[in-house]
């Protein structure tokens, strides 16, 4: 029972946070188990009566781990199971599992989290994650970044690496620490492709917002006191006005990037360029 559903955002949130806990445990613990509202690893009914594995964990080669770290060994069998299959007919259940290979990074790779709502921004700050502001309008970006840095300071500048835990990092992007925020923009250079490609991708992008919009995705486009636009109202002109789409020649794109740095008050930035759009071939994306 995975629990994730956009029909129930509160349940979806609990399930999402459980998944993050599971990922971090799998990365950092030699043998992990998890018992939450939506996930149980391994399931408590998992039978694992295997003499070879018992012998392995009883041997010194498995030090510092023993039989009790992985299974609840029972000598008596389960007469309701398959008597020909010792693993499932024995009385032993599995209580933890090992996940391999472990990551090269210690204790685990940096975690990035897409954020929009204040709750998601504050959660990323508290957990020591890097937030990715997905297509956040430029009119809202500075305030959203302010909220992240306020929350991360209140949380004590958490980091998943002990040597950096509690140490402040630069606003925007700190390349030495690999900590901070990122944002993405839709990029189309009119010096590379002409009106025919521009018209095709414009139709594709608007169709994409029309498809995703009914799930609530257009809410991010609201700025100030205005209501979110209806999916059918999203246009390339609107995305350009909100600083989400940078469509123009090279100088125009450079100017818009500089504007982003100034408006959001960034010391440096981790900038994701989206060159690949609906209606565009892979070759055209590479040329862009």
């Amino acid at each position: 029972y995975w629990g994730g559903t956009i029909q129930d955002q509160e349940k979806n949130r609990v399930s999402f946070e459980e998944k993050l806990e599971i990922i971090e445990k799998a990365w950092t613990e030699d043998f992990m188990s998890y018992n939450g509202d939506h996930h149980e690893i391994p399931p408590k009914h998992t039978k694992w009566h295997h003499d070879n594995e018992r012998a392995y964990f009883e041997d010194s080669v498995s030090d510092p781990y023993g039989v009790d770290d992985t299974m609840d060994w029972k000598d008596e069998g389960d007469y309701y199971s398959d008597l020909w299959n010792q693993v499932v007919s024995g009385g032993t259940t599995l209580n933890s599992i090992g996940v391999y290979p472990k990551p090269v990074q210690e204790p685990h790779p940096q975690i990035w989290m897409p954020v929009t709502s204040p709750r998601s921004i504050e959660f990323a700050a508290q957990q020591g994650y890097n937030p990715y502001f997905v297509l956040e309008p430029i009119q809202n970006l500075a305030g959203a970044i302010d909220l992240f840095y306020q929350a991360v300071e209140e949380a004590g500048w958490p980091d998943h690496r002990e040597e950096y835990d509690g140490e402040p990092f630069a606003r925007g992007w700190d390349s030495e620490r690999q900590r901070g925020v990122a944002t993405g923009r839709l990029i189309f250079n009119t010096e590379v492709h002409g009106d025919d490609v521009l018209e095709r991708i414009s139709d594709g992008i608007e169709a994409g917002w029309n498809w995703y919009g009914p799930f609530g995705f257009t809410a991010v486009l609201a700025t100030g006191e205005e209501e979110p636009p209806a999916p059918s109202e999203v246009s390339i002109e609107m995305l350009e006005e909100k600083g989400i789409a940078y469509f123009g020649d090279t100088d125009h794109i450079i100017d818009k990037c500089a504007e982003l740095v100034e408006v959001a008050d960034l010391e440096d930035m981790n900038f994701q360029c989206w060159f690949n759009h609906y209606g565009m071939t892979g070759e055209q994306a590479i040329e862009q």
Side-chain angles (χ1 to χ4, degrees):
Y1 178 42
W2 292 92
T5 167
I6 60 172
Q7 277 72 35
D8 187 336
Q9 287 294 347
E10 293 309 308
K11 182 185 291 184
N12 190 44
R13 188 72 194 185
V14 172
S15 178
F16 169 73
E17 292 183 10
E18 285 190 6
K19 289 175 174 64
L20 284 171
E21 289 184 54
I22 290 168
I23 290 170
E24 291 195 49
K25 286 172 72 72
W27 277 341
T28 58
E29 298 181 8
D30 291 333
F31 293 96
M32 61 87 64
S33 61
Y34 188 85
N35 186 8
D37 291 335
H38 301 291
H39 304 80
E40 189 169 45
I41 301 173
K44 61 184 178 182
H45 58 270
T46 304
K47 294 301 182 69
W48 196 255
H49 193 89
H50 203 300
D51 284 328
N52 285 29
E53 292 210 12
R54 180 189 184 188
Y56 173 81
F57 283 105
E58 286 179 335
D59 193 278
S60 61
V61 71
S62 68
D63 288 343
Y65 302 105
V67 175
D68 293 341
D69 291 306
T70 59
M71 61 190 78
D72 179 23
W73 189 267
K74 298 288 191 302
D75 288 325
E76 67 273 12
D78 178 0
Y79 296 104
Y80 295 98
S81 297
D82 183 356
L83 297 179
W84 292 100
N85 186 334
Q86 176 185 333
V87 173
V88 300
S89 63
T92 304
T93 54
L94 194 64
N95 57 29
S96 67
I97 60 172
V99 179
Y100 300 96
K102 295 298 184 187
V104 173
Q105 297 94 331
E106 295 182 356
H108 58 70
Q110 181 61 271
I111 295 178
W112 289 82
M113 178 178 164
V115 297
T116 298
S117 68
R119 178 166 68 170
S120 62
I121 294 171
E122 291 171 353
F123 178 79
Q126 294 158 2
Q127 299 300 314
Y129 301 159
N130 287 335
Y132 183 20
F133 292 92
V134 183
L135 302 180
E136 188 84 19
I138 191 170
Q139 296 90 337
N140 297 343
L141 191 58
I145 293 176
D146 285 343
L147 177 59
F148 171 74
Y149 277 89
Q150 177 183 341
V152 80
E153 183 176 4
E154 291 175 354
W157 301 92
D159 199 299
H160 63 267
R161 300 157 297 186
E162 290 185 6
E163 65 270 28
Y164 292 128
D165 196 31
E167 293 294 324
F169 47 85
R171 179 182 173 88
W173 182 244
D174 192 318
S175 58
E176 181 178 347
R177 288 281 304 280
Q178 295 292 293
R179 290 286 276 121
V181 306
T183 189
R185 305 287 120 168
L186 309 179
I187 307 293
F188 183 83
N189 192 325
T190 54
E191 294 178 25
V192 179
H193 294 106
D195 291 342
D196 56 334
V197 178
L198 177 58
E199 182 178 355
R200 189 164 65 250
I201 68 166
S202 297
D203 290 342
I205 291 171
E206 291 171 4
W209 280 96
N210 257 310
W211 196 92
Y212 285 106
F215 294 100
F217 279 69
T218 57
V220 72
L221 298 179
T223 56
E225 300 297 322
E226 68 182 12
E227 292 292 321
S232 59
E233 295 174 353
V234 178
S235 65
I236 293 299
E237 290 74 22
M238 177 186 292
L239 298 178
E240 289 182 306
E241 175 193 343
K242 294 179 180 294
I244 291 173
Y246 296 173
F247 287 9
D249 60 23
T250 303
D251 288 338
H252 173 76
I253 295 170
I254 292 172
D255 289 343
K256 297 301 290 185
C257 290
E259 179 187 17
L260 178 66
V261 173
E262 181 178 358
V263 170
D265 190 26
L266 305 177
E267 296 178 50
D268 199 353
M269 69 174 175
N270 188 322
F271 187 65
Q272 311 289 308
C273 298
W274 294 20
F275 295 111
N276 192 13
H277 308 296
Y278 300 114
M280 178 180 283
T281 67
E283 182 179 354
Q284 288 170 338
I286 291 171
E287 290 170 350
Q288 279 286 318

